[in-house]
């Protein structure tokens, strides 16, 4: 009797998981599709001026593969790069100047912002300094991009054309992350998949929708909009600054577009699980607004949606319950099917798709670890600089 009750509980829980997956499949903005790329675009009659802002801290290892791609942009209008060396100890600023001398291309200015004041996230203080330098050129657009991002030669041209044609205040692309090591293949595509599940790209670009997000490695923003909504001052404390930027623009009445990239790639390696763990846990609890109830709900949700299906299959086969095995198997099948497009986008073998429950379990542990680190007082970090979120920060968005 007790065993029957337990199996019955597994069946009902698996049914709940299956219903959750059917809802995600049909009602969550078709998050699993990977065909949201740059919207229709055409060359403007006159190309607007653009200033590129690159915050960097200890990025000497990344610059040779990334910075020349910005300097050599094939852009018909006026463009200039403002590189912000945020207190690097590895010669990042000097290397940037050397690469500019060696490759030529767009004009490069290297600045240094000094230590951030209290209440500022380190990266955003560097971004603010770069925008301040760019303002003297009175650009129409700002491209905010990271020092580990490589752009195809026509990347800037395509971003500007899409922004002008669509009337967008922000056009952002989720850079294609590196997937070479075994751990990268297992974890990285899932990172983008989970992000799209939280922030369905189709909803972000829709008129009148509240969903807002951007990808910090590649954000083209209209300069007038950036000044009007006070980027980045309005969210100076934010750890997840790209999402905060998009929310500020949407609250200010602007239009935001986000999609997957064809011309933008991250060159940063994450060869070990430890490296990927640090990347995720750095901001996972901040995503939950440092709220223990949201953490508990997230853990329960991840367990129900991702872990219950394979457990139900195993329990059903072991206990001879066809209902548990079939219900869990159907949920697992839907889950696997929604992950296949992302694996194809990353050119990875499809046999990785059924392993998504294991990857989700890793993300669950990373999220819990993020909360543990927060309550140990270690705060978040950017390139070796640790800072804690202020206890009370006014909402200035």
């Amino acid at each position: 009797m007790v065993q029957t009750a337990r199996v019955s509980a597994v069946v009902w829980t698996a049914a709940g998981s299956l219903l959750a997956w059917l809802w995600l499949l049909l009602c969550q903005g078709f998050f699993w599709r990977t065909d949201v790329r740059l919207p229709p675009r055409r060359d403007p009659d006159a190309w607007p001026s653009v200033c590129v802002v690159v915050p960097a801290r200890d990025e000497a290892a990344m610059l040779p593969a990334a910075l020349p791609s910005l300097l050599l942009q094939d852009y018909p209008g006026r463009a200039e790069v403002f590189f912000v060396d945020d207190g690097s100890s590895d010669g990042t600023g000097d290397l940037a100047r050397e690469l500019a001398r060696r490759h030529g291309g767009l004009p490069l200015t290297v600045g240094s912002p000094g230590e951030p004041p209290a209440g500022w996230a380190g990266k955003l203080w560097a971004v603010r300094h770069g925008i301040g330098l760019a303002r003297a050129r009175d650009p129409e657009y700002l491209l905010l991009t990271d020092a580990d991002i490589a752009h195809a030669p026509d990347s800037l041209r395509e971003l500007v054309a899409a922004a002008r044609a669509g009337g967008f205040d922000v056009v952002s692309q989720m850079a294609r992350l590196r997937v070479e090591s075994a751990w990268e293949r297992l974890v990285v595509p899932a990172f983008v998949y989970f992000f799209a599940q939280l922030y369905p790209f189709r909803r972000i670009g829709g008129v009148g929708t509240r969903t807002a997000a951007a990808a910090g490695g590649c954000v083209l923003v209209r300069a007038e909009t950036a000044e009007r909504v006070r980027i980045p001052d309005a969210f100076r404390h934010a750890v997840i600054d790209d999402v905060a930027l998009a929310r500020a623009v949407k609250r200010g009445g602007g239009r935001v577009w986000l999609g997957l990239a064809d011309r933008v790639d991250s060159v940063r390696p994450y060869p070990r699980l430890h490296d990927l763990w640090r990347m995720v846990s750095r901001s996972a609890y901040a995503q939950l607004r440092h709220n223990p109830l949201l953490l508990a709900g997230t853990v329960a949700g991840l367990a129900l949606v991702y872990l219950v299906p394979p457990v139900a299959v195993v329990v059903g086969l072991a206990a001879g319950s066809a209902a548990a095995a079939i219900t869990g198997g159907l949920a697992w099948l839907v889950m696997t099917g929604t992950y296949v497009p992302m694996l194809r986008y990353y050119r990875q073998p499809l046999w990785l798709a059924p392993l998504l429950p294991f990857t989700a379990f890793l993300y669950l542990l990373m999220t819990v670890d993020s909360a543990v680190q927060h309550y140990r007082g270690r705060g978040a970090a950017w390139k070796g600089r640790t800072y804690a979120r202020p206890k009370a920060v006014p909402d200035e968005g």
Side-chain angles (χ1 to χ4, degrees):
M1 181 68 70
V2 174
Q3 183 177 355
T4 301
R6 288 175 178 173
V7 172
S8 179
V10 171
V11 172
W12 283 108
T13 306
S17 181
L18 177 58
L19 288 175
W21 271 111
L22 291 175
W23 183 87
L24 288 169
L25 177 69
L26 301 174
C27 304
Q28 187 59 2
F30 296 101
F31 77 94
W32 43 271
R33 294 182 59 171
T34 56
D35 56 351
V36 182
R37 310 296 173 88
L38 278 178
R41 51 208 179 273
R42 61 182 180 275
D43 289 355
D45 295 333
W47 289 91
S49 60
V50 182
C51 285
V52 182
V53 176
V54 186
R57 181 175 171 87
D58 293 333
E59 293 283 19
M62 299 294 105
L63 290 188
L67 185 58
S69 73
L70 281 174
L71 299 174
L72 299 177
Q73 281 298 297
D74 177 20
Y75 185 68
R78 179 168 59 87
E80 187 170 349
V81 179
F82 290 89
F83 187 92
V84 185
D85 180 13
D86 185 19
S88 299
S89 59
D90 64 351
T92 288
D94 292 336
L95 179 57
R97 294 185 185 93
E98 172 59 28
L99 289 170
R101 285 192 293 268
R102 188 186 312 165
H103 293 278
L106 301 182
L108 175 76
T109 298
V110 178
S112 180
E115 285 297 309
W120 275 87
K123 178 182 176 181
L124 288 176
W125 180 243
V127 170
R128 185 181 192 271
H129 183 76
I131 292 177
L133 293 174
R135 192 168 288 126
R137 305 295 195 270
D138 193 26
E140 188 170 341
Y141 287 95
L142 298 165
L143 174 61
L144 311 180
T145 187
D146 290 341
D148 62 346
I149 300 298
H151 293 255
D154 62 348
S155 172
L156 183 56
R157 176 199 291 259
E158 294 293 303
L159 287 166
V160 171
R164 291 297 288 267
F168 294 104
D169 295 88
V170 169
V171 171
S172 178
Q173 289 186 290
M174 177 74 72
R176 200 189 301 258
L177 305 177
R178 198 188 90 142
V179 281
E180 295 184 12
S181 72
W183 285 113
E184 286 171 338
R185 292 188 175 95
L186 184 67
V187 174
V188 166
F191 176 83
V192 182
Y193 171 89
F194 293 142
F195 185 94
Q197 193 175 82
L198 287 173
Y199 306 103
F201 296 161
R202 279 177 171 73
R203 290 184 180 172
I204 292 169
V207 177
T209 62
R210 298 183 60 185
T211 306
C218 178
V219 181
L220 182 79
V221 57
R222 193 185 300 273
E224 182 276 330
T225 301
E227 186 171 0
R228 175 167 51 85
V229 303
R230 300 175 59 246
I231 294 173
D233 298 58
F235 48 91
R236 59 184 179 270
H237 58 278
V239 175
I240 308 175
D241 52 272
D242 42 14
V243 174
L245 182 151
R247 286 174 176 167
V249 170
K250 273 210 168 182
R251 282 198 299 264
R255 293 188 62 199
V256 177
W257 184 93
L258 171 64
L260 295 172
D262 292 315
R263 298 171 173 83
V264 183
D265 297 277
S266 172
V267 298
R268 189 179 303 282
Y270 294 98
R272 303 170 300 169
L273 177 60
H274 173 73
D275 303 315
L276 291 158
W277 194 289
R278 287 180 58 192
M279 178 190 73
V280 175
S281 65
R282 179 183 73 86
S283 59
Y285 197 42
Q287 179 69 54
L288 301 176
R289 291 176 283 176
H290 303 105
N291 187 319
L293 292 179
L294 286 178
L295 174 65
T298 298
V299 169
L302 285 171
L304 174 66
V305 173
Y306 290 99
L307 305 186
V308 164
V311 169
V313 170
V314 172
V315 170
L317 293 176
S321 170
I326 292 173
T327 307
L330 288 174
W332 198 353
L333 182 63
V334 176
M335 179 200 318
T336 299
T338 64
Y339 192 38
V340 165
M342 189 61 68
L343 289 174
R344 284 179 173 159
Y345 170 72
Y346 271 97
R347 306 182 186 95
Q348 296 304 302
L350 299 188
W351 59 261
L352 289 170
L355 300 183
L356 187 57
F358 174 71
T359 306
F361 180 62
L362 291 177
Y363 275 89
L364 186 155
L365 296 178
M366 294 174 194
T367 302
V368 172
D369 182 57
S370 180
V372 170
Q373 299 306 318
H374 173 79
Y375 290 115
R376 285 181 176 176
R378 296 183 181 179
W382 183 63
K383 305 302 285 180
R385 178 191 285 128
T386 301
Y387 53 91
R389 180 188 177 120
K391 292 182 180 179
V393 178
D395 184 1
E396 303 178 77

